[in-house]
Amino acid sequence: MTTTLPVPIAFELPDGWRAAPPDGVGAPGAAFVALHPHPDAGFTANITVDGAFRPDPATLPEIADESVANLRGSAASVDVAERREVGSEDAPGLTQTLAISAIAGGVPRDLIQSQVYLSLLDVEDPSKRAVIRLILTVTAAQHGDVVEDFRDFVRTVRPDTP
């Protein structure tokens, strides 16, 4: 079942990318999915967006570790290729790049997943924290052609406030 984000956000998709219903493309935990117009060897690069309220004290690196552990539970191999904290104290974020070897669509694949975590605090009650996760999943062969689209997408993400 498609989920909703804990806080509304706005963004712009890169040229050619199209929105798809999360349930219809096998991403039921996502709030939003976009598909690249040109599949690579039967795999379609995708951007997914999800998020949750995180009232616990977990840091962004700990939350990113949770994602890696979840992937390891379903993928043959997951390696953290790069991780770095970004943003500021008022708007912290984290990026990580994962190298994944898994069966996707019944075929063994080498995938790259770029993840961006954004922490959003309620200005009136900082104990209310939402974490939004933006994810690009792409074949290793297509990564270089698609990663800049993902960076462009991330640059447009912002809170959608009245």
Side-chain angles (χ1 to χ4, degrees):
M1 180 162 90
T2 302
T3 62
T4 57
L5 293 175
V7 294
I9 61 171
F11 51 81
E12 296 172 27
L13 284 177
D15 288 341
W17 289 74
R18 63 178 174 78
D23 289 335
V25 295
F32 179 82
V33 174
L35 303 175
H36 190 265
H38 306 291
D40 176 44
F43 185 86
T44 302
N46 59 81
I47 294 171
T48 58
V49 179
D50 64 19
F53 281 112
R54 292 298 300 243
D56 62 315
T59 64
L60 289 179
E62 290 168 339
I63 293 169
D65 286 342
E66 291 172 8
S67 292
V68 171
N70 288 338
L71 280 169
R72 284 187 176 136
S74 62
S77 169
V78 179
D79 293 312
V80 178
E82 179 184 1
R83 179 184 284 175
R84 63 190 174 105
E85 293 187 61
V86 296
S88 66
E89 188 176 324
D90 293 334
L94 181 136
T95 66
Q96 72 178 1
T97 303
L98 308 176
I100 303 168
S101 293
I103 304 296
V107 177
R109 298 192 188 273
D110 290 326
L111 303 172
I112 302 292
Q113 195 170 86
S114 297
Q115 300 179 340
V116 176
Y117 295 81
L118 305 172
S119 183
L120 305 169
L121 299 177
D122 185 308
V123 291
E124 294 177 14
D125 183 358
S127 69
K128 293 181 181 175
R129 173 179 65 147
V131 176
I132 303 297
R133 183 173 63 158
L134 315 169
I135 306 167
L136 168 69
T137 306
V138 62
T139 62
Q142 197 177 26
H143 183 257
D145 296 332
V146 176
V147 70
E148 198 57 41
D149 282 354
F150 182 63
R151 290 179 183 141
D152 290 344
F153 167 77
V154 170
R155 283 186 204 94
T156 71
V157 175
R158 62 200 176 280
D160 190 12
T161 56

